[in-house]
Amino acid sequence: MAALNAADRGRRSIACRSLLGVAALAVFAGAESLAQEHPRLLLVAEEIRELKDQWPRSTLFSAAVERTRSRIDALVASPPDVPAPKDPGGGYTHERHKANGIVIAEAGALYQWTGESAYADLVRQLLLAYAGMYPELGLHPERKEQSPGRLFWQSLNESVFLTYAIQGYDAIHATLDTQDRERIEARLFGPMADFLSVESPQVFDRIHNHGTWATAAVGMTGYALDDDDLVEMALMGTARDGKAGFLAQLRQLFSPDGYYLEGPYYQRYALMPFVLFAKAIEHNEPERQIFEYRSGIVAKAIRTTVQLSYAGLFFPINDAIRDKGLDTVELDYAVAIAYGVTGDPAFLSLVDDASNIVLTTDGLRLALAREAGRATPFPFASRHFRDGPAGDQGALTILRAGGAPGAALVFKATSHGMGHGHFDRLHWMFYDNGAEIVADYGAARFLNVPQKAGGRYLPENKTWAKQTVAHNTLVVDAASQFDGDYKRADQSWPTGHYYHVGDGVQIVSADERAAYPGTLLRRTMLLLEWPELDHPLVIDVLKARSKDARRFDLPLYFSGALIETQPAIDMGMSLQPLGDANGYQHLWGLGEAQSVGGDRLAFTWLTNGRFYTYNVIANADIGVAYTRVGATDPDFNLRSEPGFIFGADSVRNLDVVAVLEPHGEYNGAREYTIRSESQVVRLQRLDDDGKDLVIVETKAGATLAVVLSYDPNPNTAHTIRTAVGEYRWRGYHRVFGHGYEPDEERQR
Amino acid sequence: MAALNAADRGRRSIACRSLLGVAALAVFAGAESLAQEHPRLLLVAEEIRELKDQWPRSTLFSAAVERTRSRIDALVASPPDVPAPKDPGGGYTHERHKANGIVIAEAGALYQWTGESAYADLVRQLLLAYAGMYPELGLHPERKEQSPGRLFWQSLNESVFLTYAIQGYDAIHATLDTQDRERIEARLFGPMADFLSVESPQVFDRIHNHGTWATAAVGMTGYALDDDDLVEMALMGTARDGKAGFLAQLRQLFSPDGYYLEGPYYQRYALMPFVLFAKAIEHNEPERQIFEYRSGIVAKAIRTTVQLSYAGLFFPINDAIRDKGLDTVELDYAVAIAYGVTGDPAFLSLVDDASNIVLTTDGLRLALAREAGRATPFPFASRHFRDGPAGDQGALTILRAGGAPGAALVFKATSHGMGHGHFDRLHWMFYDNGAEIVADYGAARFLNVPQKAGGRYLPENKTWAKQTVAHNTLVVDAASQFDGDYKRADQSWPTGHYYHVGDGVQIVSADERAAYPGTLLRRTMLLLEWPELDHPLVIDVLKARSKDARRFDLPLYFSGALIETQPAIDMGMSLQPLGDANGYQHLWGLGEAQSVGGDRLAFTWLTNGRFYTYNVIANADIGVAYTRVGATDPDFNLRSEPGFIFGADSVRNLDVVAVLEPHGEYNGAREYTIRSESQVVRLQRLDDDGKDLVIVETKAGATLAVVLSYDPNPNTAHTIRTAVGEYRWRGYHRVFGHGYEPDEERQR
């Protein structure tokens, strides 16, 4: 069967190549390709010749070469370890083949930069070993049903392997004799590219990151093997009609703002094949102007990925492993290529050390520029990233103050993001002072740890991490949004977005109408740099409007040590789970408190040397549960994280206003504590015919008033009358108080 | 009363001064003092003149000057804030006076280095404000019973204040007119020194860190005020017989190895007055050769303090705030002075940045030497620190492998350490790969946080943190050692210490006979760099011998995520506290497991990217409780830390052998996991007439055998016979296996 495939492929590609060759010549006659000889993918022969004697001048690049050398040299002496495929993710053969793919690429790069033939020999031996085995392989014994691989349990890993291995082959192509080349192409790269494309169209033609890995792998193989047909299929899909393939993926997987629908964790992963293949396209067919495609979407997506991080780690929304961030191989490649494309010195500041330097010409140019002192800080800033191919499917909003290590409020009102999406519309997170303050649990998964369900997503990912109650957003009737059905969730997104940043006021608002049929949710969040307080203040105005009486639960997951609560929480002498379904079964109820008649509740915790007080009022009696994640967890898969749930029962219309105030400092090493008590002493909401007035008053007597009309027309005038006067403004919102609109404005 | 005191003091000091002046001249006629003029404490006029134009050449020192300047400049314009004493620790007046003391010292230093008179004015104003208030003060309204202060709730803070303030006075002495000097000396420093010495002999004459703060403050005041009587009293005690005072404290508070009986947290704190006063003595009476005193105990104590840390933080034994470490002001002074005394370039490597540079001449010399590239790594190494003034009251042992960020095993078999000691004899902790692996809870306290019991030790410090069950050592009959009575505990210490380091074997052993009357505990711990495994291995051989049947509980508190347990742990559907007293009431029982008939139990967790498997066998049926700290904690004062308790009931003689194996790597950012499974597949103990044989076997079939005779005589021959042969050795211990004694040795 393998032989048949190879023969079949041969026929197909010769036929198509001649046709396409003519077309390409006709259309792009003036374009010039760097890539007539090998290497021609990420490394290009002509550039290497030009830069080969420059790299020893770069300390960073030299260190990166040495790091790679020390890894690879350990393998040069021993015979290649190419075991028969047996294990699933995390197991020996899986990890070995993953590592071999990278070794092939790295040894190839070392050969190019050092000219030492031992590296070329290593690549040759590995490739011949794979060529010896691959045609005889059936599907992997541990194959995943929808997308099986041959070397690996899923074809995704096979695409990644090919993406690396083809670079190694490309790098040593010139050192191989014809017999070796033919053997490697006919028995390894040809069959593998076919397997990943025409034999796996359900993956290859999918508008999904797995599809992009497949198209990138196959397209790069096409360039390396002079197989224009593979390239064309990679770009246009197996039907070659452009409805699938790399260009369709570029159009549909990213929003116009460069946001990827699955969120930052998968955005990082999805980015890798985009940037690698784009670079290979640029080298081989510059006339395609791939980096100009869709207004430069590749570089935009890279910038957006960086913006979606705090203190080096990605915001862990949706299924996300929390230790992923800028220090990942995907970003190493992306940043080098983005710098190459844009020349923007802000990318240079994202390089920590030699471990972030990739062994490409872009990597070398990046290292040289950084060493020449050209780095400027990456401009982390408030951003409203629209979601969806046309930018009309919700948005992820980041409000920042005080630069990269300062305050960052993340407001999630995006589309669902398919199977890895969480049921968390209108969820928020908050970062401050370099730390996570209001948290997202991320995914329940120990990536690649065999003992933990083979490194796959754990059962608790579905029963806990995806559920609405695991997020800082409103739960209605103790059920998850869309009853936890992601196919329903994928059909809609939050609407009514409002976003404004300026004059010390940052505000974002969105509505959600579909998650709980019959209930409208509207959440408005502000980040205010109010001169009366040390640090930017978060204000949260959350409204639910329902036809029938509902139970509402609003969780708040925080990181830190609880310092003070008002009212006091009665601790339980034994702990029970808070419920038996929809995630509640995973919460231990540590204690309870009640607030009657709209009294302000206040909770202070300490994180990373700063105090945070969460003040909350509501238009209903509120029960507070102090919780800890970890109940009903027979394999102890969950992290023990603290949280509060604010609950109201039998309510049709709920209005909650909360203020999160960062304050003071705790310094254990230097032995001092300042302002450990909240400055906020009063919090009030007035409702005037659908408009809201929120008043915050400090211990020192300063008053801040926020008015909201929820009317985006900037010219419409609004008024709210209170016992002491009137607030008048135009448009969606206004803020009154010291540093904002003067008081006189209010009283006129 | 204040006036009376001042008059009284005047009389006393004139009388004594004349006598002492003669004696000093007679005995030390050849000695030369730097300190004829002011300043003469840490800063010395002659040195300043010599170095004054050198400091702008040091970037570090300049940055330290600028840091201090920016703090102090904010205060220069405003009138001094010297409020009437009102608040306890953490409150406003407390923190203000604490800060003022430091401001006086820092502004004084700035005046000396910059010559800018604004700084001298600030010091003058503050001192005059204090002089205006101090004589009228009674005891502090929130005074602590045993040791009240006047400015502060406890005299300790007053001593610290004086230690700083007298330096500031000394620094600006030359700028003051006679009237100001007389006013400040007669109304502030005189009465304060009297208050802290003759009026508080219960503190001043105590061999305790509070006493050292008092003697240092009073002694430095004596030098600054030319009051030899104060100096003599500081050195020799109020009775001037040498049974109390600074020299007695130097003799009795540190062991010959420089270990301080309360442990590293208080060692750091206690160190500060020792190093400051010692430096002042050196400047004013070099003939005392204070840095040679007791074989250079001051510098030795500084080196020991540094050795008592891992990754920059002190081992948190006894009452310890866990964020204290090398980055504390005490160490900044200590390291500068130690470098000044010894010239050892290893001290230079302890300076991170300008925040660690003190504004003394030692600080400047340190900064210049570090900038000249003279720093060498601090030689963190295995050390056996004997406890007690004569070194015969137990020991704290640290076994290290792999340098500073490598493995560190801490074995605690010290004396109790008075009221801040924990009931944790034969307790151990383990650090590896830069992280805490087997943990000590430290103290239950939020230092200086008013909402948390005014920043004092919390009730849970006594009910949890001090209890035996809160530590990694054996609990007998569910009671704490010495029934939690520290006065009983202070009367004895572990005995039978054995310590050996060499040839890849590190071992420490000790016995405890007094903690549980009628029960002998013996624990032997090894850190082995066995070539068969990736990382050093910990072996723990714990024996209990009792007259009657007992219940034994052995806790193990780990940091990290639980990955795998063998046998499986049955999780509880509701959680109860494990008991109602002696700390058990603070443990939630998350789940249980049983091991019958000596089966090996194995628990794997993941910390900071490395896996750790704890294998344990015993000569009795073992019940395992998986626990989490936090039950019976109405104010939520405790941290939620996981642990195991291994329990055996109705046993007279218990033998437990455990192996902790660090293995593999989890890299979430780079997406790989290696060797997540333990290599240890067999663990066995053979008992031969009081001698022990422990056998560890790996998956790959390698075998390690440890034999223990518990006989320290190196010449005595021992034999253990097994079914397959004999182990023969001489002395306390031997290790057989690859990399150690060859197998032939064993079979002869």
Side-chain angles (χ1 to χ4, degrees):
Chain A
M1 183 178 144
L4 253 175
N5 279 342
D8 191 46
R9 193 187 66 80
R11 245 182 306 116
R12 173 182 51 70
S13 75
I14 289 162
C16 297
R17 191 180 305 166
S18 53
L19 282 171
L20 214 92
V22 175
L25 275 175
V27 179
F28 304 114
E32 184 194 0
S33 164
L34 286 167
Q36 299 309 308
E37 44 182 334
H38 291 272
R40 57 172 69 155
L41 297 176
L42 269 74
L43 295 167
V44 171
E46 190 178 317
E47 290 187 345
I48 295 269
R49 275 193 296 275
E50 181 191 321
L51 291 166
K52 207 165 181 173
D53 53 349
Q54 288 194 36
W55 72 260
R57 284 185 2 226
S58 165
T59 313
L60 270 173
F61 197 83
S62 301
V65 168
E66 286 314 308
R67 279 173 58 92
T68 310
R69 225 193 242 278
S70 68
R71 268 201 305 275
I72 301 300
D73 286 358
L75 303 169
V76 164
S78 26
D81 180 8
V82 177
K86 179 166 100 33
D87 301 325
Y92 179 74
T93 70
H94 179 92
E95 295 298 327
R96 187 68 259 158
H97 291 305
K98 262 174 71 178
N100 280 348
I102 295 170
V103 166
I104 292 167
E106 289 187 337
L110 284 178
Y111 169 70
Q112 282 292 326
W113 291 110
T114 69
E116 293 175 25
S117 62
Y119 296 120
D121 287 349
L122 176 65
V123 174
R124 176 178 167 273
Q125 281 181 45
L126 278 163
L127 291 177
L128 288 173
Y130 276 104
M133 179 173 77
Y134 197 75
E136 318 307 328
L137 295 178
L139 292 181
H140 192 280
E142 297 277 342
R143 57 185 169 272
K144 284 192 164 179
E145 291 216 354
Q146 295 166 338
S147 51
R150 291 167 68 177
L151 274 181
F152 296 92
W153 65 335
Q154 59 174 344
S155 68
L156 170 62
N157 298 106
E158 205 127 329
S159 298
V160 176
F161 176 91
L162 180 54
T163 306
Y164 280 109
I166 195 64
Q167 293 180 54
Y169 176 64
D170 182 45
I172 66 148
H173 188 274
T175 70
L176 296 173
D177 62 25
T178 310
Q179 193 185 341
D180 282 348
R181 286 181 195 165
E182 280 177 2
R183 183 173 172 84
I184 291 166
E185 296 192 9
R187 295 181 56 91
L188 177 62
F189 290 122
M192 195 178 266
D194 286 347
F195 172 71
L196 292 172
S197 56
V198 289
E199 294 169 31
S200 307
Q202 77 285 6
V203 174
F204 189 84
D205 286 341
R206 205 172 154 205
I207 306 297
H208 183 277
N209 80 69
H210 291 197
T212 308
W213 276 103
T215 57
V218 169
M220 288 166 73
T221 303
Y223 286 129
L225 269 52
D226 281 316
D227 186 336
D228 296 344
D229 179 42
L230 282 182
V231 173
E232 179 69 5
M233 191 163 59
L235 291 167
M236 306 294 279
T238 55
R240 290 154 180 88
D241 59 4
K243 289 184 182 158
F246 188 74
L247 296 176
Q249 288 158 347
L250 264 182
R251 285 194 307 274
Q252 293 179 54
L253 285 175
F254 293 104
S255 81
D257 297 326
Y259 180 78
Y260 177 75
L261 80 169
E262 292 186 287
Y265 172 76
Y266 277 100
Q267 171 141 359
R268 158 204 60 83
Y269 190 62
L271 204 58
M272 179 88 161
F274 278 112
V275 300
L276 297 185
F277 189 26
K279 190 71 192 183
I281 294 169
E282 178 72 7
H283 279 151
N284 287 275
E285 301 184 73
E287 62 278 9
R288 285 192 182 272
Q289 300 193 299
I290 191 72
F291 286 112
E292 302 300 313
Y293 192 72
R294 216 184 153 208
S295 311
I297 191 69
V298 173
K300 191 178 284 176
I302 296 171
R303 286 184 199 277
T304 297
T305 310
V306 176
Q307 290 283 358
L308 293 172
S309 70
Y310 186 88
L313 295 177
F314 294 122
F315 300 125
I317 54 172
N318 294 335
D319 281 348
I321 304 296
R322 293 164 53 88
D323 22 28
K324 290 282 187 189
L326 303 181
D327 185 26
T328 47
V329 66
E330 295 88 353
L331 269 288
D332 296 342
Y333 277 104
V335 164
I337 289 172
Y339 179 69
V341 171
T342 66
D344 181 347
F347 286 113
L348 302 175
S349 69
L350 302 174
V351 173
D352 282 338
D353 55 40
S355 72
N356 300 124
I357 299 290
V358 293
L359 299 187
T360 64
T361 47
D362 281 329
L364 175 55
R365 291 199 190 94
L366 178 84
L368 289 166
R370 191 165 176 284
E371 286 167 336
R374 292 216 282 275
T376 59
F378 193 87
F380 287 99
S382 296
R383 297 292 298 273
H384 184 66
F385 293 116
R386 290 168 298 158
D387 192 5
D392 57 359
Q393 299 182 2
L396 186 82
T397 307
I398 303 160
L399 306 180
R400 293 189 193 254
L409 188 161
V410 181
F411 181 64
K412 185 173 185 247
T414 64
S415 73
H416 190 73
M418 308 189 291
H420 291 301
H422 286 196
F423 297 93
D424 62 355
R425 294 193 181 174
L426 312 191
H427 165 52
W428 72 296
M429 298 172 310
F430 187 62
Y431 295 78
D432 188 41
N433 193 26
E436 185 182 52
I437 308 304
V438 174
D440 185 307
Y441 187 90
R445 184 182 190 187
F446 288 88
L447 189 68
N448 292 334
V449 176
Q451 295 103 314
K452 289 292 192 186
R456 295 185 288 272
Y457 287 102
L458 295 161
E460 291 76 14
N461 193 56
K462 184 160 191 290
T463 60
W464 164 252
K466 284 185 174 175
Q467 300 291 333
T468 305
V469 77
H471 300 86
N472 308 305
T473 189
L474 202 67
V475 188
V476 181
D477 287 342
S480 280
Q481 297 175 357
F482 301 98
D483 290 316
D485 179 347
Y486 84 84
K487 288 183 180 152
R488 263 180 63 206
D490 266 341
Q491 290 160 23
S492 69
W493 34 83
T495 55
H497 273 85
Y498 177 71
Y499 170 73
H500 169 90
V501 167
D503 303 325
V505 177
Q506 304 196 46
I507 179 170
V508 62
S509 182
D511 299 341
E512 173 56 38
R513 295 164 187 272
Y516 294 106
T519 302
L520 161 67
L521 308 179
R522 170 172 293 168
R523 192 168 209 170
T524 308
M525 303 203 76
L526 297 98
L527 184 67
L528 299 178
E529 294 175 81
W530 188 23
E532 292 289 334
L533 294 178
D534 301 346
H535 303 292
L537 190 71
V538 175
I539 297 184
D540 177 15
V541 183
L542 176 62
K543 306 168 82 71
R545 294 292 177 268
S546 192
K547 286 183 303 198
D548 307 308
R550 303 287 193 181
R551 168 178 164 188
F552 291 106
D553 289 330
L554 181 62
L556 181 83
Y557 296 98
F558 64 96
S559 299
L562 195 58
I563 295 296
E564 189 177 21
T565 73
Q566 178 190 322
I569 292 175
D570 287 329
M571 195 198 193
M573 286 308 297
S574 78
L575 303 190
Q576 316 294 333
L578 281 196
D580 55 14
N582 301 331
Y584 286 78
Q585 73 274 27
H586 293 299
L587 288 167
W588 292 117
L590 298 186
E592 293 178 355
Q594 286 289 332
S595 159
V596 178
D599 278 359
R600 181 172 59 97
L601 296 89
F603 303 86
T604 301
W605 66 87
L606 172 62
T607 309
N608 192 30
R610 190 172 287 175
F611 296 91
Y612 296 86
T613 297
Y614 183 79
N615 293 274
V616 58
I617 56 170
N619 65 338
D621 294 349
I622 294 285
V624 184
Y626 180 36
T627 65
R628 202 168 262 287
V629 179
T632 321
D633 180 21
D635 298 319
F636 303 101
N637 286 334
L638 295 172
R639 298 194 311 277
S640 174
E641 305 281 358
F644 293 110
I645 297 186
F646 304 97
D649 216 343
S650 300
V651 173
R652 280 183 54 230
N653 295 332
L654 180 73
D655 286 277
V656 177
V657 174
V659 166
L660 179 65
E661 180 205 356
H663 54 95
E665 183 180 359
Y666 167 83
N667 190 321
R670 299 280 166 179
E671 284 207 13
Y672 62 86
T673 295
I674 50 176
R675 284 191 294 289
S676 66
E677 292 183 343
S678 172
Q679 301 303 300
V680 173
V681 293
R682 202 164 64 99
L683 179 60
Q684 217 182 350
R685 186 187 73 90
L686 268 88
D687 182 327
D688 183 347
D689 193 24
K691 301 186 285 286
D692 281 311
L693 163 65
V694 173
I695 294 177
V696 181
E697 191 179 320
T698 70
K699 207 178 273 185
T703 300
L704 183 78
V706 176
V707 289
L708 296 165
S709 69
Y710 304 107
D711 174 358
N713 185 333
N715 302 316
T716 313
H718 303 279
T719 309
I720 290 184
R721 288 176 189 81
T722 74
V724 298
E726 277 184 10
Y727 292 87
R728 293 182 185 189
W729 76 103
R730 286 175 191 278
Y732 200 98
H733 79 281
R734 186 108 325 167
V735 179
F736 297 89
H738 171 215
Y740 297 110
E741 300 291 329
D743 263 6
E744 306 87 73
E745 286 290 317
R746 162 163 79 100
Q747 302 292 359
R748 271 193 315 222
Chain B
M1 184 177 142
L4 253 175
N5 279 341
D8 191 46
R9 193 186 68 80
R11 245 183 305 116
R12 173 181 52 71
S13 76
I14 290 164
C16 297
R17 191 181 303 165
S18 53
L19 281 171
L20 215 93
V22 175
L25 275 173
V27 178
F28 305 113
E32 184 195 1
S33 165
L34 286 167
Q36 299 310 306
E37 43 182 335
H38 293 273
R40 57 172 70 154
L41 296 177
L42 268 75
L43 295 167
V44 171
E46 189 179 318
E47 289 187 345
I48 295 268
R49 275 193 297 274
E50 182 191 321
L51 290 167
K52 205 165 181 175
D53 53 348
Q54 288 194 36
W55 72 261
R57 283 184 8 224
S58 164
T59 313
L60 269 173
F61 197 84
S62 300
V65 168
E66 285 315 308
R67 279 173 58 92
T68 310
R69 224 194 242 277
S70 68
R71 268 201 304 276
I72 301 301
D73 284 359
L75 303 168
V76 164
S78 25
D81 180 7
V82 177
K86 180 167 100 33
D87 302 325
Y92 178 75
T93 69
H94 178 93
E95 295 298 326
R96 188 68 260 155
H97 291 305
K98 262 174 71 178
N100 281 348
I102 295 169
V103 166
I104 291 167
E106 289 187 337
L110 284 178
Y111 170 70
Q112 282 293 327
W113 290 110
T114 68
E116 294 174 26
S117 62
Y119 297 120
D121 286 349
L122 176 65
V123 174
R124 176 177 168 273
Q125 280 181 46
L126 277 163
L127 291 177
L128 287 173
Y130 277 103
M133 179 174 75
Y134 196 75
E136 318 308 328
L137 295 179
L139 292 180
H140 192 278
E142 298 277 342
R143 59 185 168 272
K144 284 190 164 179
E145 291 215 356
Q146 294 166 340
S147 51
R150 291 166 70 176
L151 275 180
F152 297 91
W153 65 335
Q154 58 175 345
S155 68
L156 170 63
N157 299 106
E158 206 125 326
S159 298
V160 176
F161 176 91
L162 180 53
T163 306
Y164 281 108
I166 195 64
Q167 293 180 54
Y169 176 65
D170 181 44
I172 66 149
H173 187 273
T175 71
L176 297 172
D177 63 23
T178 311
Q179 193 184 343
D180 281 348
R181 286 180 195 166
E182 282 178 1
R183 183 172 173 82
I184 291 167
E185 296 192 8
R187 294 183 55 91
L188 178 62
F189 290 122
M192 194 178 266
D194 286 347
F195 172 71
L196 292 172
S197 56
V198 290
E199 294 170 32
S200 308
Q202 77 285 7
V203 174
F204 190 84
D205 286 342
R206 206 173 154 203
I207 306 297
H208 182 279
N209 81 70
H210 292 196
T212 309
W213 277 103
T215 57
V218 169
M220 288 166 73
T221 303
Y223 285 129
L225 270 52
D226 281 315
D227 185 337
D228 296 344
D229 179 42
L230 282 183
V231 173
E232 179 70 4
M233 191 164 59
L235 291 168
M236 307 295 279
T238 56
R240 289 152 181 89
D241 58 4
K243 289 186 184 158
F246 189 74
L247 297 176
Q249 288 158 346
L250 264 182
R251 285 194 308 273
Q252 292 180 54
L253 285 175
F254 292 105
S255 82
D257 296 326
Y259 180 78
Y260 177 76
L261 80 169
E262 292 187 287
Y265 173 76
Y266 277 100
Q267 171 141 359
R268 158 204 61 83
Y269 192 62
L271 204 57
M272 179 89 161
F274 278 113
V275 300
L276 297 185
F277 190 26
K279 190 71 193 181
I281 294 170
E282 178 73 7
H283 280 151
N284 287 274
E285 301 184 73
E287 64 278 9
R288 286 193 180 271
Q289 300 193 297
I290 191 71
F291 286 111
E292 303 300 313
Y293 191 73
R294 220 186 149 203
S295 311
I297 191 70
V298 173
K300 191 179 284 176
I302 296 171
R303 286 185 199 275
T304 296
T305 310
V306 176
Q307 291 283 358
L308 294 172
S309 69
Y310 186 89
L313 295 178
F314 294 122
F315 300 124
I317 55 173
N318 295 336
D319 281 348
I321 303 297
R322 293 165 53 89
D323 23 29
K324 289 284 187 187
L326 304 182
D327 184 26
T328 46
V329 65
E330 295 88 354
L331 269 287
D332 296 343
Y333 278 103
V335 163
I337 289 171
Y339 178 69
V341 171
T342 65
D344 181 347
F347 286 113
L348 301 175
S349 69
L350 302 173
V351 173
D352 281 337
D353 56 40
S355 71
N356 301 124
I357 299 291
V358 292
L359 299 187
T360 65
T361 47
D362 281 327
L364 175 54
R365 291 199 189 95
L366 178 84
L368 289 166
R370 191 166 177 283
E371 285 165 337
R374 291 214 284 275
T376 58
F378 193 87
F380 287 98
S382 296
R383 297 291 301 270
H384 183 67
F385 292 116
R386 291 169 297 159
D387 192 6
D392 56 0
Q393 300 182 359
L396 186 82
T397 307
I398 302 161
L399 306 180
R400 293 189 193 253
L409 188 161
V410 181
F411 181 65
K412 185 174 185 246
T414 63
S415 72
H416 189 74
M418 306 188 291
H420 291 302
H422 286 195
F423 298 92
D424 62 354
R425 294 193 180 173
L426 312 191
H427 165 52
W428 71 295
M429 298 173 307
F430 187 63
Y431 294 80
D432 188 42
N433 193 26
E436 185 183 52
I437 308 303
V438 173
D440 185 307
Y441 188 89
R445 183 182 190 186
F446 289 87
L447 189 67
N448 291 334
V449 176
Q451 296 104 312
K452 290 291 193 185
R456 294 185 289 271
Y457 287 102
L458 294 161
E460 291 75 15
N461 193 56
K462 184 159 191 289
T463 60
W464 163 252
K466 284 185 174 175
Q467 300 291 332
T468 304
V469 77
H471 300 86
N472 308 304
T473 190
L474 202 66
V475 188
V476 180
D477 287 342
S480 280
Q481 296 175 357
F482 302 99
D483 289 317
D485 178 347
Y486 85 84
K487 287 182 181 153
R488 263 180 63 206
D490 265 340
Q491 289 160 24
S492 69
W493 34 82
T495 54
H497 273 85
Y498 177 71
Y499 169 73
H500 168 89
V501 166
D503 304 324
V505 177
Q506 305 195 47
I507 179 170
V508 61
S509 182
D511 299 341
E512 173 55 38
R513 296 164 187 272
Y516 294 106
T519 301
L520 161 68
L521 307 178
R522 170 173 293 168
R523 193 168 208 169
T524 308
M525 303 203 75
L526 296 97
L527 184 68
L528 299 178
E529 293 175 82
W530 187 24
E532 292 289 334
L533 294 178
D534 302 346
H535 303 292
L537 190 72
V538 175
I539 297 183
D540 177 15
V541 183
L542 176 62
K543 306 168 84 70
R545 294 292 176 268
S546 192
K547 287 183 301 196
D548 308 307
R550 303 285 193 182
R551 167 179 165 188
F552 291 106
D553 289 330
L554 181 63
L556 180 83
Y557 296 98
F558 65 97
S559 298
L562 195 58
I563 296 297
E564 189 177 21
T565 73
Q566 178 191 320
I569 291 174
D570 287 329
M571 195 199 193
M573 285 308 296
S574 79
L575 304 190
Q576 316 294 334
L578 282 195
D580 55 14
N582 301 332
Y584 286 78
Q585 73 275 27
H586 293 298
L587 288 167
W588 293 117
L590 299 185
E592 292 178 356
Q594 286 289 333
S595 160
V596 178
D599 278 0
R600 181 173 59 97
L601 297 88
F603 303 86
T604 301
W605 66 87
L606 171 62
T607 309
N608 192 30
R610 189 172 287 175
F611 296 90
Y612 296 86
T613 297
Y614 182 78
N615 293 274
V616 59
I617 56 170
N619 64 338
D621 295 348
I622 294 285
V624 184
Y626 181 36
T627 65
R628 201 168 261 288
V629 179
T632 322
D633 180 22
D635 297 319
F636 303 100
N637 287 333
L638 295 171
R639 297 194 313 277
S640 174
E641 305 281 358
F644 293 109
I645 297 186
F646 303 98
D649 216 343
S650 301
V651 173
R652 279 185 53 231
N653 295 332
L654 179 73
D655 286 278
V656 176
V657 174
V659 166
L660 178 66
E661 180 205 357
H663 54 95
E665 183 180 359
Y666 168 83
N667 190 321
R670 299 280 165 178
E671 285 208 12
Y672 61 85
T673 296
I674 50 176
R675 286 192 293 290
S676 66
E677 291 183 343
S678 172
Q679 301 303 300
V680 173
V681 293
R682 202 163 65 100
L683 179 58
Q684 219 183 348
R685 185 188 73 92
L686 268 89
D687 183 326
D688 183 349
D689 193 24
K691 300 186 286 287
D692 281 312
L693 163 64
V694 172
I695 294 176
V696 181
E697 191 179 320
T698 71
K699 207 177 273 185
T703 301
L704 182 79
V706 175
V707 289
L708 296 165
S709 70
Y710 304 107
D711 174 357
N713 184 334
N715 301 317
T716 314
H718 303 280
T719 308
I720 290 185
R721 288 175 189 81
T722 74
V724 298
E726 277 184 8
Y727 292 87
R728 293 182 184 188
W729 77 102
R730 286 176 191 279
Y732 200 98
H733 79 280
R734 185 107 326 166
V735 178
F736 297 89
H738 171 216
Y740 298 108
E741 300 291 328
D743 263 6
E744 307 88 71
E745 285 291 317
R746 162 164 79 100
Q747 302 290 359
R748 272 193 313 221

